[in-house]
Amino acid sequence: MIVTRALDGRRVVLFESGLKVRVGDLAALGGLLTAILAAAIVSLTTGTTPITLGDAAASLWRGPDSGDLSFAIWDVRLPRILMGVMVGGSIALTGAMLQSLSQNPLADPGLLGLSQGSMTALMVIFVLFPATPQGVLPLAALGGGLAVGALLIFLVGRGNAGGMAILLMGIAVETSLSSMTSILVLYTPPEVSLALAEWMAGSLFRSSWDSLATFTPWFALGVPAILLLGRSLRSYDMGDQVAMSLGENLPFSKPIILVTAVLLTSAAVSAVGPLAFLGVMAPHLANFISPTSGRARLMLSVAVGALLVVCADMMTRGFAGDIPLPTGLAIVMLGVPMFIVTLRLRAMRRMRGQ
Amino acid sequence: MRKLVTTMAVMLLATTAAFAQTREVIDDAGRTVQIPEKPQRIIAMHEALIALPLIELGFDVIGVYGRADDGASIYDVDFIKSVFGDDPSLQIGGIGPVGDIDLEKLRALKPDLIVGMGRQLAQSEILSAIAPVYLQTTMAGSESGFSIEEQLAKAFGRTAVFDVKRASYLERVEEVRASLPEDPRGKTYLAIIVFDQISAVRDVSGAIQAIRDLGYEPYDWANRVTNEPAKSRGFAVPLSSEEFALLDPDLLVIMNSYMSADHSEGGIRARLDAIAPGWSRFMRAAKEDQIVFLNSAEVATPTIRSALHTLAAFEEWGR
């Protein structure tokens, strides 16, 4: 492993396997992982039960017991932090993948209708088959998301249409499904619509070791996605024509990217509900921290998404008190100002460059 | 040897006592739940539909959704205060915001039973780690009047308390009926609540129980409107203002939204005039002054106390 300079003059770490990673990307990732760790530590001490850092460390060292402190750490806060990391990472990864695929900075699982597909499937279950066991719900969400993914592939053709076509078809599908869910809510008994409203607001409240065990395999799917699809997505960033000229097999890779996005999104939606705007925001913030593409962009997006959700969850527990502050709203409150500031700073940089 | 026998006897007694203190019931979601024989500290997952009937049955409700730590309601309407008055013993703690229950706060209250609504299955799985969760159906369509309270009394062994309160209430029904200018039996009623639109009040409330016990019969509005509303829609179902003005009940019962600060007759009329202008010139009940105005925050809960508030309003109207 040696540190050298790339053709553009930036310093890169060159591994023996031939893998090149920019030093700036590594530093950004290191910084983000440190921030996630710091946020997780603060989050462990944030909540109704007063817990100091020492108490938290001692409890983690001792392992779970029947006390209130152990309950707060092991049964409430730790599962929420881990779920936040995984769900935030998954949604951000999906957003980054879809933005490259569609060559559109606004693309995210919500805009393409993937989240809505999962939500609609869950609502159909809630309304028409209320006695369905809870364990079936993730599968239903997956089915709904896959159905939308298949519909998008069918509508845009296997690889012949451009990114804008995917985006426009996605918006059309999302709008149609939104109308369908509105009608379902209208005919849903109030008990069900109350439960739906709570779930649609997005919350990590249901995080538990069981739900983590269910979600982890889906999150693990993100690792091969980053490793295997990163290179393809770098080609997509330059447009379909260039991607093809670089040897990218569009009819093969487009459906794979879409299906991966569907699997990650559906699992996240069934675990915590929809977290709006995260898929758009996280890749943009990652790109601001370290402008890059391919695998590095995906990894940085995952880290930013995880950090945003962990911090947002901490906000709902620590600062909101009894004011209803859904996690989805906390993410928006936290992320949107950062999003606006980064856009402004980027515009100012561009003006200075001219 | 004597010590061993004594220890074993104590252990046997303790085990027997522990078993005797709980019993197995099947809740409305069809789940078998081991609940305390005499629940001492209950958390209710809905204020109006679950907490109030339990309070009326004499249970100690220690936590409910939508309350701050000091017991104040975080919503515009405080049903506990409206129905039971400003009773300092009813300062019930909160369990976090709706949709994001604070499990640490909930556990700190040390409940021995949590009562949720029939469809809160996902929540019940999480909450069961803290205390047994009993799910009570509240809006399946079969409930009416204060039947939810009756079902809870039966499930948690307070039937005698419920029967005493109901007997006293029925005496009051007779008293109020006798005070009305004419016998209401056989006459039809239409109860509406004015939200952003006019909604017909369905069956689940103390108000409807009292109106029916007085002898009024439900006006068959569902078959006289253009769009027949869906069944099992809970407390109220929207009516178009045009359809409303065409209805012809003998008695009109009107209430403002529970969120409204103004429950006076003038306030309710003004709100209704804004939504259905001229209604009072079209409807026979209005022309004959057969209108009772109610405070929805007092009468909309499925409790005997809400039914008593309704009777008081009818008695006042009868004068």
Side-chain angles (χ1 to χ4, degrees):
Chain A
M1 183 184 81
I2 53 163
V3 178
T4 181
R5 284 195 185 272
L7 288 175
D8 61 0
R10 291 182 182 172
R11 289 200 306 161
V12 292
V13 179
L14 188 63
F15 291 89
E16 282 176 15
S17 60
L19 179 70
K20 266 192 294 186
V21 184
R22 280 168 39 187
V23 172
D25 293 343
L26 273 180
L29 187 64
L32 283 168
L33 291 177
T34 309
I36 293 171
L37 189 66
I41 290 169
V42 177
S43 186
L44 271 180
T45 61
T46 307
T48 304
T49 313
I51 296 175
T52 63
L53 208 55
D55 293 337
S59 177
L60 288 174
W61 180 255
R62 272 197 315 268
D65 58 45
S66 59
D68 286 347
L69 192 142
S70 170
F71 175 78
I73 294 283
W74 284 94
D75 294 322
V76 179
R77 299 182 193 179
L78 205 50
R80 283 178 82 132
I81 291 167
L82 294 174
M83 185 61 93
V85 167
M86 292 203 285
V87 163
S90 298
I91 295 175
L93 175 61
T94 311
M97 286 164 63
L98 294 175
Q99 284 172 21
S100 293
L101 183 75
S102 62
Q103 296 123 46
N104 193 303
L106 284 176
D108 88 328
L111 200 65
L112 287 186
L114 303 182
S115 306
Q116 197 68 46
S118 300
M119 275 171 59
T120 308
L122 287 173
M123 288 181 81
V124 167
I125 294 274
F126 281 137
V127 176
L128 300 180
F129 311 102
T132 304
Q134 294 293 302
V136 177
L137 298 182
L139 293 176
L142 206 63
L146 279 173
V148 170
L151 185 63
L152 281 178
I153 291 168
F154 170 74
L155 289 174
V156 300
R158 285 190 68 204
N160 307 325
M164 187 55 80
I166 296 178
L167 195 68
L168 292 173
M169 289 297 180
I171 291 171
V173 171
E174 198 273 339
T175 309
S176 309
L177 290 174
S178 290
S179 311
M180 198 190 288
T181 49
S182 304
I183 292 167
L184 281 172
V185 167
L186 200 66
Y187 286 95
T188 302
E191 272 188 12
V192 179
S193 55
L194 196 68
L196 280 176
E198 289 172 5
W199 174 76
M200 284 167 79
S203 170
L204 293 170
F205 141 73
R206 291 189 195 94
S207 305
S208 63
W209 293 107
D210 286 343
S211 63
L212 282 169
T214 308
F215 188 70
T216 303
W218 301 110
F219 178 66
L221 187 71
V223 179
I226 290 171
L227 294 177
L228 300 175
L229 301 174
R231 200 188 178 101
S232 300
L233 290 167
R234 178 181 288 175
S235 307
Y236 277 108
D237 278 337
M238 290 180 270
D240 285 0
Q241 304 281 340
V242 180
M244 271 195 286
S245 66
L246 288 171
E248 188 59 43
N249 184 353
L250 265 62
F252 177 72
S253 59
K254 259 187 190 173
I256 289 186
I257 293 168
L258 259 181
V259 168
T260 310
V262 165
L263 295 177
L264 287 168
T265 304
S266 307
V269 166
S270 68
V272 301
L275 298 179
F277 210 48
L278 181 65
V280 175
M281 212 159 40
H284 278 279
L285 293 174
N287 206 39
F288 178 77
I289 294 167
S290 180
T292 185
S293 64
R295 291 170 191 154
R297 180 167 185 255
L298 296 181
M299 288 183 74
L300 289 176
S301 300
V302 169
V304 171
L307 181 62
L308 275 175
V309 176
V310 171
C311 290
D313 180 50
M314 191 162 54
M315 246 173 97
T316 65
R317 281 188 286 132
F319 308 120
D322 290 296
I323 303 162
L325 180 64
T327 310
L329 180 60
I331 289 171
V332 170
M333 284 170 66
L334 200 65
V336 167
M338 290 164 70
F339 187 65
I340 293 168
V341 168
T342 54
L343 286 180
R344 294 282 299 169
L345 286 174
R346 196 178 291 166
M348 282 164 69
R349 266 189 209 165
R350 209 175 298 135
M351 282 173 72
R352 226 177 282 149
Q354 286 168 357
Chain B
M1 184 65 186
R2 191 185 292 169
K3 273 185 183 172
L4 181 68
V5 171
T6 312
T7 309
M8 284 179 72
V10 168
M11 282 174 70
L12 188 69
L13 279 171
T15 313
T16 313
F19 274 113
Q21 283 164 5
T22 62
R23 65 194 170 93
E24 206 171 80
V25 292
I26 296 174
D27 70 6
D28 287 351
R31 300 151 62 248
T32 303
V33 192
Q34 200 79 27
I35 65 165
E37 187 65 48
K38 291 180 180 173
Q40 302 293 318
R41 298 175 66 78
I42 301 180
I43 282 178
M45 302 303 288
H46 195 285
E47 182 169 312
L49 297 173
I50 305 283
L52 268 82
L54 288 171
I55 291 169
E56 187 155 68
L57 291 170
F59 286 109
D60 189 5
V61 177
I62 52 164
V64 71
Y65 241 161
R67 294 254 154 196
D69 287 341
D70 61 0
S73 175
I74 61 172
Y75 302 122
D76 288 342
V77 58
D78 184 337
F79 280 111
I80 295 176
K81 204 170 173 178
S82 301
V83 175
F84 296 113
D86 208 355
D87 182 348
S89 69
L90 295 176
Q91 290 294 305
I92 297 168
I95 55 169
V98 174
D100 196 10
I101 301 171
D102 188 336
L103 292 172
E104 294 173 34
K105 196 179 276 184
L106 193 144
R107 183 181 147 110
L109 290 169
K110 303 209 180 306
D112 58 3
L113 180 64
I114 298 169
V115 184
M117 295 201 295
R119 302 295 179 92
Q120 289 174 321
L121 284 167
Q123 291 179 354
S124 73
E125 281 182 14
I126 302 281
L127 300 176
S128 296
I130 297 171
V133 179
Y134 181 93
L135 295 178
Q136 166 69 44
T137 297
T138 53
M139 295 178 191
S142 56
E143 303 80 12
S144 68
F146 37 66
S147 69
I148 292 171
E149 183 170 329
E150 190 172 7
Q151 288 162 20
L152 288 170
K154 204 172 164 186
F156 304 145
R158 290 279 167 103
T159 308
V161 176
F162 179 79
D163 287 344
V164 168
K165 285 185 184 282
R166 182 164 58 182
S168 161
Y169 154 77
L170 288 173
E171 281 174 24
R172 179 86 176 113
V173 169
E174 294 301 327
E175 199 179 301
V176 172
R177 188 191 294 129
S179 75
L180 295 176
E182 49 185 335
D183 193 337
R185 281 174 285 206
K187 292 186 182 301
T188 59
Y189 78 90
L190 169 67
I192 59 160
I193 183 162
V194 189
F195 297 119
D196 287 338
Q197 77 286 332
I198 301 166
S199 293
V201 177
R202 282 199 174 279
D203 299 347
V204 186
S205 66
I208 297 301
Q209 180 83 46
I211 294 167
R212 290 191 187 167
D213 286 339
L214 281 171
Y216 290 101
E217 289 173 4
Y219 176 73
D220 191 10
W221 54 268
N223 290 330
R224 299 189 190 203
V225 293
T226 321
N227 302 313
E228 188 175 345
K231 301 288 180 194
S232 308
R233 288 290 301 150
F235 180 72
V237 63
L239 291 174
S240 84
S241 43
E242 203 177 320
E243 287 162 346
F244 165 68
L246 295 173
L247 300 177
D248 188 29
D250 295 321
L251 176 77
L252 201 52
V253 179
I254 311 179
M255 51 191 106
N256 232 347
S257 161
Y258 4 89
M259 300 296 182
S260 170
D262 188 355
H263 291 285
S264 67
E265 179 182 335
I268 298 173
R269 276 184 185 275
R271 188 86 192 94
L272 195 52
D273 283 339
I275 297 171
W279 66 276
S280 53
R281 292 198 306 275
F282 285 104
M283 299 187 77
R284 179 174 58 89
K287 285 189 278 190
E288 292 173 1
D289 205 21
Q290 295 293 305
I291 309 175
V292 180
F293 293 91
L294 297 178
N295 178 342
S296 58
E298 291 176 350
V299 305
T301 71
T303 57
I304 293 174
R305 190 68 73 96
S306 273
L308 289 168
H309 281 301
T310 309
L311 291 179
F314 269 81
E315 192 175 43
E316 184 64 31
W317 171 71
R319 286 184 193 138

